[in-house]
Amino acid sequence: MTAPQQRHWDAVVIGSGFGGSMTALKLAEAGIRVLVIERGRWADRDDSAWDTKVIHIDRKYQSKTPFEANRLLGPALQYPNETVGGQSVFYGAASFRLRQADFQRLSRATHEPPSGASFVDWPISYADLATYYDQAEQMLGVVGVAGVDPTEPPRQSDYVAAPPSYGSPARCVAEAAKQLGLQPFPIPLAINFNGRDGRKQCIQCMTCDLFPCKIGAKNDLSVTILPEAIRLGAVVKDQTVATRLVRTGGRITGVELLDLVTGETSAITCDLAVVSAGAISSAKLLLASGLGNVQPNGPLIGRYLMRHCTGIVSGFFRSKTNPEQLFHKQIAITDFYFGHPTGGRPSGPWGMIQGLQVPPPEFMKTGPLPVAVIGPLTLTHQIFLICIAEDIPSFENRVTLHTTKRDPFGQPIAKVRYKHHRRDLQVRRALYREAARILRKAGAVARLRIPISTFSHALGTCRFGTDPATAVLDPMCRFWGIPNLFVVDASFMATSAAVNPSLTIAANALRVGEHIVDHWDAAAGSHAK
């Protein structure tokens, strides 16, 4: 291996998404020399950011390293986007807290778990994360209205500001939901609607979800958290892949790197490593580093993969639904989060329904039939509602290293095997029915169901717990048996709940980062700073 960079770092953070960025900031605040490794590059804040062809057809930020996932017609390669800031650059900014009961999914169950389910309680409670939820919301500039979500957990602080008033589609859905006896409320959003911190404020355009923000008004990590971490001394090395963790004497002593621009390999040494490359890529890295052989927790790496069971119900209306052509991902409905209010089947928790921005016609043309044909022609007359159902953790759903397929750099790709449990599909159908009922009440003359099969909410591949025989990580997200290795992305989550996991990842990373700082000598070892 060539070694263009042999510098020693106190801590190396692999991945710059919600987990990696928040942890890096905590370490940098404490004066710890931290290097952030990111395989993507900084997103361009120019006209290309809002160009559907550039972002979704030409795939400007598409990874060169796919993973193989099983699909209806057989295995298929999927190519995620990659940028500094991770998926926060492309996400829709929904920032929900888990509900209190989500942390005790096993002990609070009122019915016998379905066959094949591997429910466990989290080793921490909501109270353990509450303060960090407060911090994360403030740091990410989340706007919302406290006290209107019927399932909202207790909170000590208010949102940074109230969101803007509903646009036409959200107002239409909210009125219909209320007429049906439901309690719709504004989605908490990490969007700079009020020019906070001297940055440009959101202009409520139609290219937020699925796009980088040209003006930086979406509070993604590359415009909020990472600049502060860099100001405090953190270094971000982009377009670089961590290919292997080096383990010596029961500790991580270094990381092998691949420069995606030059193709050169190198190695760095470190006192502590934090893995946060995403639930699929983090599992892949740990397995590629030989940690699958560590007993007893190593064989669990990649197991219990979850991704939520999601789908869209599109309502077709006689008149234009968004004549103002403004941002409209604004409405959420959690009345069915813990199941049907009157006890309708299926029993147990269901999930949530929320508004979703109707994508541009060029994007819809890339979807499955009949969406690819009908969608672009009726775009201005549609309203989308997305149904997010909790999916059941299963031992059989997993990430492994592919035995034969490699990426252009010679690295084995991840092989993902996932199948929804029968109950997952039952719950999604139940949410479909309720979403369709809302749209029908709102005046939709026809409705179309569109299942979603992406892994944008992938989680659970290195779940944490109190016993290394049943969990990869301990309650502080440290790899059992390796005191200076932490995993802080969605991999740690023991169950999926039914909300976007981003705020929970951020809050947990703040918790873990604080723990690392407070216990630095024990975590980093005798050679630590």
Side-chain angles (χ1 to χ4, degrees), residues 18 88 91-97 140 142-143 187-191 208-209 218 327 329 331-332 352 354-356 386 388 457 499-504:
F18 283 100
S88 73
Y91 86 139
S95 302
F96 287 95
R97 300 183 181 204
L140 294 170
V142 179
V143 301
I187 298 174
L189 294 165
I191 296 177
C208 185
D209 206 343
K218 179 162 56 178
F327 173 83
K329 181 180 177 177
I331 198 80
M352 72 179 303
Q354 70 177 45
L356 189 66
I386 185 170
I388 304 175
H457 288 188
V499 297
N500 185 307
S502 60
L503 190 69
T504 299

Side-chain angles (χ1 to χ4, degrees), residues 4-256:
Q5 179 179 339
Q6 287 289 347
R7 184 176 177 181
H8 177 84
W9 294 86
D10 298 332
V12 174
V13 175
I14 299 165
S16 62
F18 283 100
S21 291
M22 290 294 185
T23 306
L25 177 59
K26 279 290 186 183
L27 300 183
E29 287 175 340
I32 294 169
R33 294 184 307 147
V34 57
L35 173 67
V36 179
I37 302 297
E38 170 56 54
R39 65 182 303 144
R41 66 179 182 86
W42 292 88
D44 296 323
R45 307 293 175 170
D46 56 19
D47 289 344
S48 71
W50 290 343
D51 189 316
T52 305
K53 181 178 183 298
V54 171
I55 301 301
H56 295 292
I57 308 302
D58 299 339
R59 298 292 308 277
K60 179 176 182 176
Y61 298 102
Q62 176 179 290
S63 173
K64 295 180 181 179
T65 298
F67 61 88
E68 182 187 89
N70 56 308
R71 303 295 294 271
L72 185 62
L73 299 179
L77 297 180
Q78 296 193 23
Y79 294 82
N81 285 325
E82 293 174 347
T83 54
V84 174
Q87 294 308 304
S88 73
V89 174
F90 302 95
Y91 86 139
S95 302
F96 287 95
R97 300 183 181 204
L98 266 61
R99 322 287 101 165
Q100 286 175 291
D102 289 330
F103 291 79
Q104 290 84 39
R105 186 63 178 86
L106 179 62
S107 60
R108 290 199 179 200
T110 56
H111 299 81
E112 186 71 22
S115 174
S118 298
F119 283 121
V120 293
D121 286 342
W122 286 36
I124 61 173
S125 68
Y126 172 79
D128 295 318
L129 271 191
T131 297
Y132 302 103
Y133 273 131
D134 290 342
Q135 293 179 25
E137 287 174 349
Q138 295 296 313
M139 295 163 71
L140 294 170
V142 179
V143 301
V145 180
V148 293
D149 176 353
T151 65
E152 182 181 41
R155 52 186 306 123
Q156 296 298 314
S157 63
D158 203 349
Y159 291 104
V160 299
S165 58
Y166 289 151
S168 295
R171 189 164 57 250
C172 177
V173 170
E175 291 173 356
K178 288 178 181 177
Q179 291 174 27
L180 293 171
L182 304 176
Q183 304 168 78
F185 61 93
I187 298 174
L189 294 165
I191 296 177
N192 191 10
F193 288 111
N194 55 4
R196 185 173 182 256
D197 298 331
R199 292 186 293 110
K200 290 184 178 179
Q201 70 181 61
C202 175
I203 61 172
Q204 298 189 52
C205 71
M206 296 280 286
T207 47
C208 185
D209 206 343
L210 305 173
F211 291 84
C213 182
K214 174 183 174 180
I215 61 175
K218 179 162 56 178
N219 295 336
D220 72 64
L221 302 162
S222 69
V223 299
T224 53
I225 306 304
L226 286 171
E228 178 63 10
I230 292 170
R231 186 187 71 80
L232 294 170
V235 174
V236 176
K237 185 172 179 58
D238 67 342
Q239 301 183 82
T240 303
V241 176
T243 58
R244 191 174 75 92
L245 304 174
V246 179
R247 182 164 53 107
T248 307
R251 301 182 67 85
I252 300 302
T253 56
V255 183
E256 294 179 0

Side-chain angles (χ1 to χ4, degrees), residues 281-334:
S281 293
S282 287
K284 172 192 165 187
L285 174 61
L286 296 180
L287 292 171
S289 303
L291 299 185
N293 298 320
V294 175
Q295 295 296 332
N297 57 317
L300 295 175
I301 296 172
R303 298 283 188 178
Y304 306 110
L305 170 68
M306 295 166 284
R307 66 178 187 184
H308 291 143
C309 188
T310 57
I312 295 167
V313 179
S314 175
F316 297 82
F317 293 76
R318 288 190 174 91
S319 58
K320 289 186 177 181
T321 54
N322 188 15
E324 303 88 359
Q325 289 294 286
L326 292 175
F327 173 83
H328 54 278
K329 181 180 177 177
Q330 296 176 296
I331 198 80
I333 298 166
T334 57

